[in-house]
Amino acid sequence: MSALVTVVSCSGTESGGAAPGDTTGQYRSPEQIQGATVVWSAEPGIHLQDERGSLVRAAEESWIIARYVGPESSYPGFAGVLDPASASVITPLPDRHLAGTLRAHLLSVTPTDTGFDAVVCTQRSELAERWPDGRYHFTSAPDIESIVRFTRTSPTRGDGGAAPTDTRSDTKQTSSQRVWQSPATDLFTGTGWSIAFSADPGGTRQRCQAWGRSIHTGAAGAETTDVPPRVLPALPGW
């Protein structure tokens, strides 16, 4: 499963709590993940910025954050659409902070009778966790994959139908800010989706591993270091 690190509770304190909002009321990512970014890629023909691509990215990033700070402090609306079985496996850890660059790859988007499934690969060779000892700890986990399952449970905000597939091309722009990027709006509330995460028992693991090897930088080099890994600009960002 997209073994997103099981980690912390939110806020600007080491003891957890919700990340304080800014004066505009816009969501602000919790301290525990601000030192990291996500660089996305996709298989040919899959667009990261169409409706489904954006939903998948928002869900996967929300899942990562939730496993540090809990679903309620993840992206707005995520807690309300997260399947209870998926929520039950989250055990936030209040003392770890992400640093570096997480690579994520949208491998497939497949329609189902009730919605659609997406397969996401993640690769962590340039992502570390800063532990209370002040050192940066890299994971030894291999390149991993998860199924993000979108199930329609109620009508959408508008037409009540399945989310259309938008075929527009992505704009490959990055942000100059090397901090976690978050959507400016709630992408979940009122969409009628229930979102679940599970490991893929099929053959996509080999495809994820092949992708991971193709972009592996070997940057980690050691299991722990005093120097944080590099942080690349988020792609495509929000």
Side-chain angles (χ1 to χ4, degrees), residues 65-226:
I65 298 170
R67 293 179 68 92
Y68 279 87
V69 301
E72 296 292 341
S73 295
S74 193
Y75 288 169
F78 180 67
V81 298
L82 181 61
D83 179 76
S86 294
S88 69
V89 306
I90 296 174
T91 306
L93 303 177
D95 58 356
R96 299 183 188 180
H97 293 64
L98 279 180
T101 306
L102 173 66
R103 306 279 185 152
H105 185 71
L106 184 48
L107 187 66
S108 65
V109 178
T110 306
T112 67
D113 290 341
T114 56
F116 65 97
D117 289 350
V119 176
V120 176
C121 310
T122 54
Q123 202 259 22
R124 302 172 58 86
S125 64
E126 291 188 81
L127 187 71
E129 292 177 354
R130 179 168 56 82
W131 287 14
D133 61 7
R135 306 200 75 203
Y136 295 90
H137 296 249
F138 291 87
T139 178
S140 59
D143 306 324
I144 50 182
E145 79 292 331
S146 68
I147 290 180
V148 188
R149 177 157 292 147
F150 291 78
T151 302
R152 181 70 72 196
T153 59
S154 63
T156 79
R157 296 181 178 115
D159 58 19
T165 301
D166 186 341
T167 58
R168 72 174 182 266
S169 298
D170 296 326
T171 55
K172 297 299 184 182
Q173 59 186 20
T174 62
S175 168
S176 61
Q177 291 184 311
R178 296 173 187 251
V179 295
W180 191 276
Q181 302 288 299
S182 304
T185 59
D186 182 344
L187 298 180
F188 300 113
T189 301
T191 60
W193 292 119
S194 173
I195 303 175
F197 295 80
S198 63
D200 178 18
T204 61
R205 176 169 299 175
Q206 290 74 24
R207 293 178 65 187
C208 281
Q209 289 174 340
W211 162 78
R213 286 192 296 270
S214 74
I215 55 96
H216 191 283
T217 64
E223 291 185 1
T224 62
T225 178
D226 294 323

